[in-house]
Amino acid sequence: MMPTVVRRLLQASVVGLAALSTACSVLPQAESLTYYQLPAVALTAQQAPASHKNLIIQMNRPHAERLLASSRITVLPQGNELSAYKGVRWSDDAPALLRNRLADALRDAAQFRAVVLDSESVIADWELGGSLSAFQVEYVQGTPRVQIQFDALLRDQASGQLIQTRRFVAQQAVDGTAVPQVVEAFGLATDALSLQVTQWLGSLTVVTTTP
């Protein structure tokens, strides 16, 4: 006959293994994510003063609130309720996506001697930054649309002097409710906003001389 002590130890082991198995079965599984790039099209060159050809402009990552500063694809289903699409992410956070798209648009426009990012060790003449206060899908009377709002700040990098500010807003209706359709609408809205920015910068006649 099996000793009582040994029998109790075996019973405790069986109970422990059963509890461990049950605990493992209820652990949440890792969320399966799909990543999306921001669609973009090349912009045609915008007319700009000849003086711009001598300038280097630096694109800074705009400031944004916590959720907008993430890689979540945000949506306002109703009122001020800010949420996010499940199972999908941008390839980078929204401020970086906008910065990179604006930089590409300015390179396409060929207005400046060079367009650099704030992550690059280059001394620029101008720097363009600001704040991103909207980069989301909003439902208006049950219809989804993309809303982007960028408050731009253009500074002289050497002196830190503010040259100009401008608010840019772009909206784009979403042709459906599926995530790929949402992503396509984001691309169109960002292209429209990028065009506004390049036209604005092309209209400036401020001349900056580097010491």
Side-chain angles (χ1 to χ4, degrees):
M1 176 178 288
M2 182 182 297
T4 303
V5 174
V6 175
R7 185 169 62 251
R8 288 179 179 176
L9 287 174
L10 287 175
Q11 289 174 345
S13 298
V14 171
V15 172
L17 288 173
L20 180 61
S21 176
T22 303
C24 290
S25 66
V26 299
L27 288 176
Q29 295 182 349
E31 184 181 10
S32 177
L33 296 175
T34 301
Y35 292 88
Y36 286 91
Q37 294 182 333
L38 185 64
V41 297
L43 299 182
T44 56
Q46 302 294 316
Q47 190 65 32
S51 59
H52 284 41
K53 297 292 185 179
N54 299 320
L55 301 179
I56 298 175
I57 187 169
Q58 174 181 295
M59 302 301 302
N60 294 341
R61 184 178 180 277
H63 300 286
E65 294 183 357
R66 180 176 299 177
L67 187 55
L68 287 181
S70 73
S71 61
R72 305 295 294 271
I73 302 179
T74 55
V75 55
L76 271 76
Q78 58 183 359
N80 295 315
E81 178 188 343
L82 193 61
S83 185
Y85 289 94
K86 293 183 178 179
V88 294
R89 296 286 191 277
W90 290 118
S91 58
D92 207 333
D93 60 72
L97 289 177
L98 181 63
R99 177 199 62 185
N100 296 345
R101 178 64 192 108
L102 290 175
D104 285 341
L106 287 173
R107 293 182 186 117
D108 291 338
Q111 294 176 338
F112 294 90
R113 175 185 168 194
V115 180
V116 299
L117 303 181
D118 50 2
S119 57
E120 299 172 307
S121 300
V122 177
I123 298 176
D125 301 290
W126 288 357
E127 58 179 10
L128 179 64
S131 60
L132 180 62
S133 54
F135 195 85
Q136 63 221 16
V137 175
E138 298 179 354
Y139 274 77
V140 181
Q141 296 180 345
T143 302
R145 73 178 183 191
V146 169
Q147 174 86 7
I148 302 176
Q149 181 172 307
F150 172 53
D151 292 299
L153 297 174
L154 182 66
R155 291 189 179 91
D156 180 288
Q157 192 178 74
S159 66
Q161 180 180 358
L162 183 64
I163 297 174
Q164 270 200 25
T165 66
R166 180 70 64 88
R167 169 168 289 183
F168 298 97
V169 177
Q171 298 176 343
Q172 176 64 46
V174 182
D175 188 17
T177 58
V179 172
Q181 295 169 318
V182 168
V183 170
E184 184 66 25
F186 267 106
L188 294 173
T190 310
D191 288 341
L193 189 137
S194 299
L195 181 59
Q196 294 177 37
V197 173
T198 60
Q199 290 175 337
W200 169 58
L201 291 173
S203 69
L204 297 179
T205 57
V206 178
V207 177
T208 303
T209 56
T210 304

